[in-house]
Amino acid sequence: MSAIEARLDALPRARLGLLPTPLAPAAALGAATGVPGLWIKHDELIGYGFGGNKIRGLELLLADARAHDADLLVTGAGAQSNHVRATAVCAAGAGLQCIAVYWGSRPAVVQGNLRLTELVGGQTEFTGDPDRAAVDRAIEQTAARARAAGRRPYAIPRGGACALGVLGHVLAVRELLHQCKESGLQPRHIVLAVGSGATLAGWLLGSAWLGASWRIHGVSVSRPAAEVRGRVVALAAEAAALLDAAAAIVEADVPVRDDFIGPGYGLPSGAGDRAIALSARCQGLFLDPTYTGKACAGLQAMAAEGRFADGGPVIFLHTGGEPALFADPTRSAS
Ligand SMILES: *Cc1c(COP(=O)(O)O)cnc(C)c1O
C-alpha cells in the first residue's frame, strides 16, 4: 500500500454509504447515446436517504464533526440542494441537529429535496437574498449565533466543497479501482457532472495518486469552465495539504466543458431533459435535471465528437439527485 493510501485509511470515517456502490453495464443507454462499452458507477444507490455523491464527503465530515464534539451541523445552498438534504439525513442518523441555510425566500410549495430535509428534522432558514454566494457568509453567521447560544456547531461549506469533501471522492477512486481489478474491467474514460468542483477535484487527485490510467471528462452544470478550473485546482491543493501530499494538478489539466449548462444552474435544459427521457425509456434509469441529465447530454455529445473512438469502456458516474424529479422548478425557488 502506498503512503498516500495509508494516510487515507487513517482518516476518521463514519460508515454511512452502502459501499462499494454497484458498477454495472448500461448497454441499452450506451447504444442509444452512441457510447461504446458504457458502464454506470451507481452512487445514486449509495443509500442514506436517496444518497448521491455527497455521502462520500459526509463520511469524513461527520467523523470530523464528532471529533470536534459537535452537536449541530450547519450548511446551506439552494432549496433543492442534494448536499443539504444529504447533510440533514446524516445529522438525523447520527443524532445531531442540522440547520440548513438557503438563498432566496421560502418557496410557496415545499417539495423535492426541501421536503426531505424538513422531513428528517432539518431546521430551515432563508437568507432572503437571491445571491448564491451570500449563503457562504450566512452559514458562518448562523454557526456563530449557535455558538454564542452555547451550541457546538460544525459548519460545512456549500456543496461540501472543502478538503475533507474532496478526500471522500479520492476514496471513491480507490473503490472503483478495486472493483475494476476484481472484474478485469479496464475503463478508458470517466464522465461526471461538475457543480462545486469537489467531486472532480477528488477524482483527479485520486486518479493521479493511485495511478489510474483513465481519462476524466467533467461536464459543468453551473460555472464557466475557467472558473471550474480555478476552483478545482484550489480544492485539490487544500485536500492534498491535509494529507501532506503533493497536489500536482494545474488548471490546464482540469478536463471540463461548459456547453451543457443550459439556462443556468438548477434550471432544466432541453438537452438535459432529452437525456433524462432517453435514459428512463431505454434503460429504466432515472437521471436528474440539475446534474446527471446534463452530464449525460454531454456524454452523448462526446461520443458524437469521436472522443470514445478507442472503443471504451466508458464509466458514467451517476452522482444521484433524483429527488429533484419530484420538484416542479416553476413552483420552487432553488
Ligand atoms: C453535488 C452534485 C454533483 C456535483 O458535485 P460537486 O462536487 O459539487 O461538483 C453531481 N451530481 C449530483 C447529483 C450532485 O448532487
Side-chain angles (χ1 to χ4, degrees):
M1 199 195 307
S2 68
I4 296 248
E5 285 192 82
R7 281 177 235 164
L8 283 170
D9 280 335
L11 290 170
R13 182 173 179 188
R15 297 286 168 169
L16 305 175
L18 303 171
L19 302 176
T21 57
L23 174 64
L29 183 58
T33 51
V35 178
L38 179 62
W39 289 65
I40 311 246
K41 173 72 170 153
H42 285 283
D43 273 11
E44 90 280 19
L45 300 179
I46 201 168
Y48 239 79
F50 295 98
N53 62 338
K54 301 305 183 302
I55 300 294
R56 295 194 178 272
L58 283 164
E59 288 204 330
L60 303 179
L61 288 161
L62 183 60
D64 194 44
R66 283 190 176 131
H68 284 85
D69 195 28
D71 62 359
L72 167 68
L73 303 183
V74 183
T75 195
Q80 286 308 325
S81 163
N82 297 309
H83 159 71
V84 169
R85 178 257 309 157
T87 304
V89 173
C90 290
L96 304 178
Q97 276 200 313
C98 177
I99 301 182
V101 186
Y102 297 111
W103 68 69
S105 43
R106 192 179 171 77
V109 181
V110 174
Q111 51 181 353
N113 277 307
L114 177 59
R115 180 160 179 227
L116 298 174
T117 298
E118 295 197 333
L119 192 59
V120 294
Q123 273 171 259
T124 54
E125 295 177 359
F126 289 83
T127 61
D129 181 345
D131 179 18
R132 284 158 55 189
V135 161
D136 300 339
R137 211 169 41 251
I139 292 171
E140 292 305 327
Q141 286 166 350
T142 297
R145 259 203 325 276
R147 196 170 294 112
R151 302 297 304 272
R152 301 186 304 278
Y154 183 86
I156 302 176
R158 229 171 1 130
C162 56
L164 283 175
V166 170
L167 293 177
H169 301 293
V170 171
L171 290 165
V173 173
R174 189 166 67 160
E175 180 182 304
L176 178 60
L177 282 169
H178 280 223
Q179 281 175 309
C180 290
K181 200 169 164 194
E182 275 175 15
S183 65
L185 187 73
Q186 293 184 307
R188 287 213 170 96
H189 304 272
I190 310 281
V191 177
L192 71 158
V194 178
S196 70
T199 306
L200 179 57
W203 277 81
L204 290 171
L205 267 186
S207 301
W209 283 344
L210 304 174
S213 55
W214 52 54
R215 289 190 57 178
I216 294 177
H217 309 265
V219 182
S220 177
V221 302
S222 55
R223 299 179 168 85
E227 192 182 331
V228 169
R229 291 193 187 99
R231 288 179 62 96
V232 165
V233 167
L235 283 164
E238 235 185 274
L242 200 64
L243 277 201
D244 229 347
I249 288 168
V250 296
E251 291 197 15
D253 295 343
V254 177
V256 64
R257 64 192 293 160
D258 58 7
D259 50 346
F260 285 90
I261 298 170
Y265 173 72
L267 302 172
S269 71
D273 286 354
R274 283 192 294 279
I276 290 172
L278 188 67
S279 169
R281 286 171 198 169
C282 77
Q283 190 75 52
L285 179 73
F286 291 117
L287 303 174
D288 81 288
T290 303
Y291 294 97
T292 53
K294 291 177 180 179
C296 184
L299 170 81
Q300 191 167 8
M302 287 176 220
E305 291 160 1
R307 307 226 172 196
F308 311 133
D310 54 21
V314 177
I315 295 183
F316 181 74
L317 204 55
H318 192 329
T319 40
E322 303 100 310
L325 287 174
F326 303 95
D328 175 353
T330 63
R331 304 178 75 198
S332 150
S334 66

